[in-house]
Amino acid sequence: MPGLHSMSLGSMTCTRCGESFEPQEKIVNSNGQLWHTQCFVCAQCFRAFPDDIFYEFEGRKYCEHDFQVLFAPCCGKCNEFIIGRVIKAMNSNWHPKCFTCELCCKELADLGFIRNAGRALCHECNARVKAESQGKYMCHKCHSTIDGQPLRWRGDTFHPYHFNCASCGNELTADAREVKSRPGYTANDMNELYCLRCHDKMGIPICGACRRPIEERVVTALGKHWHVEHFVCAKCEKPFMGNRHYERKGLAYCETHYHELFGNLCFVCNAVIYGDVVMALNKAWCIHHFACALCDTKMTQKTKFFEFDQKPICKKCYERFPQELKKRLKKQHEVQARGGKPLP
């Protein structure tokens, strides 16, 4: 910070104008250089420095505004002038706090970065992106690509060889099992990893869908054990959640889709038909829903009916049809009876 002094300097001269100082004149002393107060101004705008703050570049002094305009770089993110530490990267200048990973937003000034597809990424995010592009996983511990099957633990993926069985100490494989605290086990067993052999000794069931241990409620069906949320209909994939299921050829189906695929649904109400079923016109009907499409008279499978627009019509309604319509329907029926062949 420059200082103002009252002194008699005799032969001393002003650094800017080269003129001597008057006796008892106030002068400015900045880093050993002397100035008239009117000469100690910005080299660009020639105004006094606000609050006596100035910036020096190549021996010339500038006010803060002119120094920023002339020399200070502009941040590539916030577009503000950078005073102090400047990060030069990605063909631009940055404030340290503005130069961050484009995926996780970590500051990269001291971490280092990798350029990936025009983006600045931290090493961890770059490894993950690289692994995903190769259809592989990234190890959450060493941040390198996993060749082969990963070991999944606490929601992340790892190289299996980073871990050892909590019981026998052997190096683990991707088939390792995570065990949470259970009755009969100590707190030290919580969230530990075990090899298959040691895990099987614990008698913990494995889900037939996700192949992970089942720590809470178990569903036993189709000769396997399941997490409640993983035992689902093979057609709609909705969990049964304790509701009845139907089994066929090693698969489980909800009631609706089992009967839709292998059973009978009423043509009228679309509900599962239990007990007796009326089969007519290549459709299935509930007994109380098989009725004339015109007068709604209830019919049975033994009731004589006629087909009209692929629906059953009772004899009374059929008799009311115009004679020409009945002839056309009769002819159509005869064609269908011949297997679709036209009459000779």
Side-chain angles (χ1 to χ4, degrees):
M1 189 77 66
L4 296 177
H5 303 273
S6 295
M7 61 181 70
S8 177
L9 298 175
S11 61
M12 295 293 182
T13 59
C14 176
T15 301
R16 182 187 180 204
C17 68
E19 297 293 332
S20 60
F21 299 97
E22 295 294 332
Q24 303 302 315
E25 179 182 359
K26 289 185 177 181
I27 64 172
V28 178
N29 184 345
S30 176
N31 297 326
Q33 294 179 325
L34 304 178
W35 311 70
H36 291 107
T37 54
Q38 66 271 21
C39 292
F40 191 66
V41 293
C42 172
Q44 178 68 17
C45 66
F46 306 110
R47 294 190 180 97
F49 301 114
D51 300 322
D52 292 332
I53 296 175
F54 64 89
Y55 296 84
E56 191 166 354
F57 183 75
E58 295 183 347
R60 306 183 74 186
K61 295 176 174 56
Y62 299 88
C63 63
E64 183 176 11
H65 175 269
D66 287 329
F67 179 80
Q68 290 178 347
V69 172
L70 294 173
F71 308 112
C74 190
C75 179
K77 182 176 182 179
C78 67
N79 293 321
E80 296 292 334
F81 290 116
I82 306 173
I83 303 298
R85 186 182 180 188
V86 179
I87 304 299
K88 293 182 177 292
M90 306 291 290
N91 299 321
S92 188
N93 300 296
W94 315 80
H95 290 106
K97 66 178 181 180
C98 291
F99 187 54
T100 59
C101 174
E102 291 198 25
L103 295 183
C104 69
C105 298
K106 290 180 181 177
E107 291 187 18
L108 302 174
D110 299 315
L111 291 178
F113 74 97
I114 296 176
R115 185 167 187 159
N116 185 308
R119 301 175 298 178
L121 303 181
C122 66
H123 291 275
E124 184 175 345
C125 288
N126 180 72
R128 184 173 66 252
V129 170
K130 182 179 178 181
E132 290 174 353
S133 67
Q134 297 173 349
K136 299 180 180 181
Y137 295 94
M138 184 200 72
C139 178
H140 193 70
K141 184 173 183 179
C142 66
H143 306 303
S144 60
T145 302
I146 301 174
D147 294 320
Q149 290 298 314
L151 187 153
R152 299 178 182 276
W153 188 41
R154 297 180 180 177
D156 293 312
T157 54
F158 300 85
H159 286 108
Y161 56 72
H162 287 312
F163 300 90
N164 297 90
C165 175
S167 179
C168 66
N170 289 336
E171 186 178 285
L172 294 178
T173 66
D175 294 324
R177 306 299 187 200
E178 180 181 356
V179 178
K180 298 180 181 179
S181 180
R182 291 167 55 86
Y185 293 89
T186 67
N188 293 330
D189 294 317
M190 183 163 42
N191 294 330
E192 295 286 357
L193 289 169
Y194 294 83
C195 65
L196 277 178
R197 182 178 179 181
C198 293
H199 181 271
D200 290 343
K201 293 179 182 178
M202 299 178 183
I204 301 174
I206 300 298
C207 178
C210 69
R211 306 304 303 163
R212 306 303 299 171
I214 304 174
E215 305 292 344
E216 298 176 352
R217 182 181 172 189
V218 181
V219 176
T220 301
L222 305 176
K224 299 179 182 178
H225 302 292
W226 313 81
H227 287 107
V228 175
E229 65 273 15
H230 290 165
F231 186 51
V232 300
C233 172
K235 176 67 175 179
C236 63
E237 298 185 349
K238 292 182 179 179
F240 294 109
M241 303 303 290
N243 294 323
R244 183 178 180 182
H245 72 276
Y246 297 80
E247 299 181 9
R248 184 181 177 91
K249 294 183 178 181
L251 298 175
Y253 297 87
C254 64
E255 186 176 57
T256 299
H257 287 110
Y258 178 84
H259 287 282
E260 180 181 293
L261 296 171
F262 314 111
N264 295 309
L265 296 177
C266 178
F267 175 72
V268 175
C269 67
N270 201 37
V272 177
I273 303 176
Y274 298 100
D276 295 334
V277 57
V278 177
M279 299 300 299
L281 306 179
N282 295 320
K283 300 179 181 68
W285 315 70
C286 296
I287 293 178
H288 56 282
H289 282 157
F290 185 59
C292 175
L294 296 181
C295 68
D296 203 30
T297 299
K298 298 294 186 282
M299 300 186 295
T300 68
Q301 199 151 4
K302 294 182 180 180
T303 303
K304 184 175 181 180
F305 66 89
F306 298 86
E307 179 182 355
F308 178 67
D309 195 21
Q310 298 183 351
K311 296 177 183 178
I313 303 296
C314 67
K315 185 177 180 180
K316 288 185 179 180
C317 290
Y318 179 79
E319 293 297 336
R320 296 193 188 99
F321 284 174
Q323 193 65 29
E324 183 61 30
L325 177 58
K326 288 192 287 186
K327 289 182 179 180
R328 181 160 55 85
L329 292 175
K330 182 179 180 181
K331 184 177 181 180
Q332 181 181 352
H333 178 72
E334 290 175 350
V335 170
Q336 293 175 347
R338 297 171 183 273
K341 296 180 180 181
L343 295 173

